[in-house]
Amino acid sequence: MSTVREAGTYPALVQDLADRGLLDARWRQVWEAVPRSQFIGPDIWRQLPDRCEPVVGTADWLALVNSDEPVVTQLDDGAEDGPGIATSSNSQPSMVARMLGLLSVEDGHRVLEIGTGTGYVAALLSERLGEEQVYSVEVDPGLAQQAADAIAGAGYRPHLHVGDGAEQIPGMGPVDRLIATCALRYIPYTLLRQLRPGGILVAPVAREFWSGALVRLHVQEDGTAAGPFCGSAMYMPMRAHRPVLHEIEGNGRSRAAGLDPARILDLGFALYAGARLPGVRVSGHDTADGARVWVSSAEGAGVMAATGEDVLQYGPGFLWEEIEQAWREYEEAGRPDAGEFGLTVTPRGHQVWVRSPNLVVRPSRA
């Protein structure tokens, strides 16, 4: 159970976001008019590193809702007696403010949101632009109904749609801005087709090698889109984009690490190595000494590595050697940080680049 924490206030939360430069004067007015608590039900959880902790009691509820933390609002897609995995949340307010700032909305813009969730972002956009300018799609019918009730209770009537966010919404027409509030493994080209030339897409992308990075893409006249990565962003994946576990083969083979596993959790390197090594998945966490990571590939190879310890390699090939080679290349490139990377999306797929769209990071493996 959650321990009692001192409850802050929503005005104090908004003030904090403004003090951190995340809300301009117009957006501050919007946030002040749309309290977060109106979109969060009584049953909530706090996301811990290894589990979701139920929040019990009014004081704890208020403390979490009025904090700059995500609030988990659904476990196991709503199923009972599941493993307790978070499947929907009201996102961290500072992350929402960052994404809305990157969206660069102007009066008269039409906006599409992928992932209605609790309805909070749709309500913020409705307050800013007018409800008739806002479209939002949610795949979970139960969540969609709860969000519709909350949004209506707050006095807004945006265009709400139940369905797959990757599919074209019938009768909507092109929009000026698109924001995804769920992590995408890739940017479906159908999303770009719903944006006008000159439009902007802001979305968290979670590929195999990195667990989440914001991207801001500008749509070109030819329908392609390109833009920079804008820092890390941890979001729950779109349901159709959830990762599939790799089956690992064989017994572990020990060898000296050669590379501190903490290096591969750096977002700049992860963006580079993810482009060089498609199909290689990394998960891990910081430790008191550095980091502990688990790496796997679709071919059945795996690596367990921890700072200061030998690595254990499983399955075919030399996966850790591939990662060490990618690190050497990254060093030779000057260790570009995450803000120097960008993404181009075309009907043929994705290209990660560094410093310029012309400097594409090509895959080194099939």
Side-chain angles (χ1 to χ4, degrees), residues 94-115:
S94 58
M95 182 60 66
V96 174
R98 275 184 61 203
M99 293 180 71
L100 291 175
L102 289 170
L103 208 59
S104 300
V105 297
E106 298 177 6
D107 292 347
H109 276 169
R110 300 170 76 237
V111 179
L112 169 61
E113 177 197 19
I114 307 299

Side-chain angles (χ1 to χ4, degrees), residues 87-353:
T87 50
S88 188
S89 69
N90 186 287
S91 303
Q92 183 181 16
S94 58
M95 182 60 66
V96 174
R98 275 184 61 203
M99 293 180 71
L100 291 175
L102 289 170
L103 208 59
S104 300
V105 297
E106 298 177 6
D107 292 347
H109 276 169
R110 300 170 76 237
V111 179
L112 169 61
E113 177 197 19
I114 307 299
T116 311
T118 64
Y120 185 48
V121 173
L124 289 169
L125 288 166
S126 294
E127 174 68 21
R128 172 64 180 84
L129 298 169
E131 59 193 26
E132 71 283 355
Q133 302 296 97
V134 178
Y135 296 77
S136 186
V137 58
E138 171 60 53
V139 70
D140 186 310
L143 291 178
Q145 185 59 59
Q146 293 172 21
D149 292 342
I151 294 169
Y156 305 104
R157 294 288 193 281
H159 306 277
L160 302 179
H161 180 75
V162 180
D164 185 346
E167 297 180 356
Q168 193 91 18
I169 296 178
M172 182 184 68
V175 297
D176 302 283
R177 299 289 187 267
L178 189 152
I179 181 172
T181 53
C182 52
L184 308 175
R185 193 164 63 247
Y186 59 90
I187 305 296
Y189 193 69
T190 50
L191 297 187
L192 299 187
R193 292 176 58 192
Q194 297 180 76
L195 278 160
R196 301 180 190 277
I200 294 174
L201 177 149
V202 174
V205 177
R207 299 298 293 271
E208 289 89 352
F209 214 100
W210 71 82
S211 55
L214 278 183
V215 69
R216 184 178 191 260
L217 304 180
H218 282 80
V219 178
Q220 311 300 315
E221 290 291 338
D222 62 1
T224 65
F229 285 99
C230 302
S232 61
M234 303 295 290
Y235 272 82
M236 295 171 197
M238 178 185 280
R239 293 193 180 181
H241 288 211
R242 288 173 177 171
V244 178
L245 294 178
H246 291 151
E247 295 291 335
I248 306 305
E249 304 172 358
N251 297 318
R253 310 182 303 276
S254 179
R255 55 149 288 188
L259 174 68
D260 185 346
R263 299 281 196 185
I264 72 175
L265 297 182
D266 174 78
L267 182 57
F269 175 65
L271 293 171
Y272 178 84
R276 289 290 282 161
L277 306 173
V280 175
R281 181 175 301 146
V282 173
S283 61
H285 60 271
D286 294 330
T287 65
D289 300 322
R292 181 173 296 276
V293 301
W294 171 251
V295 186
S296 62
S297 74
E299 296 82 22
V303 179
M304 290 182 63
T307 300
E309 300 178 12
D310 286 352
V311 301
L312 284 175
Q313 294 209 85
Y314 300 81
F318 300 94
L319 187 54
W320 191 249
E321 284 82 349
E322 291 187 71
I323 292 173
E324 290 178 331
Q325 174 60 32
W327 174 259
R328 288 190 288 269
E329 297 170 0
Y330 179 68
E331 283 194 311
E332 291 172 1
R335 295 192 191 182
D337 64 32
E340 296 180 78
F341 287 86
L343 183 69
T344 296
V345 181
T346 74
R348 297 178 299 279
H350 292 53
Q351 291 181 329
V352 173
W353 42 266

Side-chain angles (χ1 to χ4, degrees), residues 22-79:
L22 295 171
L23 300 176
D24 62 19
R26 184 69 184 93
W27 272 118
R28 177 169 181 165
Q29 290 177 340
V30 169
W31 281 66
E32 289 173 341
V34 187
R36 189 187 191 196
S37 59
Q38 289 185 256
F39 301 86
I40 299 177
D43 296 327
I44 62 173
W45 297 261
R46 175 178 283 109
Q47 180 69 68
L48 301 180
D50 59 343
R51 69 187 188 281
C52 290
E53 176 187 69
V55 175
V56 178
T58 302
D60 272 11
W61 189 94
L62 284 171
L64 183 56
V65 170
N66 290 329
S67 73
D68 187 26
E69 291 187 46
V71 177
V72 176
T73 56
Q74 185 195 63
L75 302 179
D76 306 315
D77 294 333

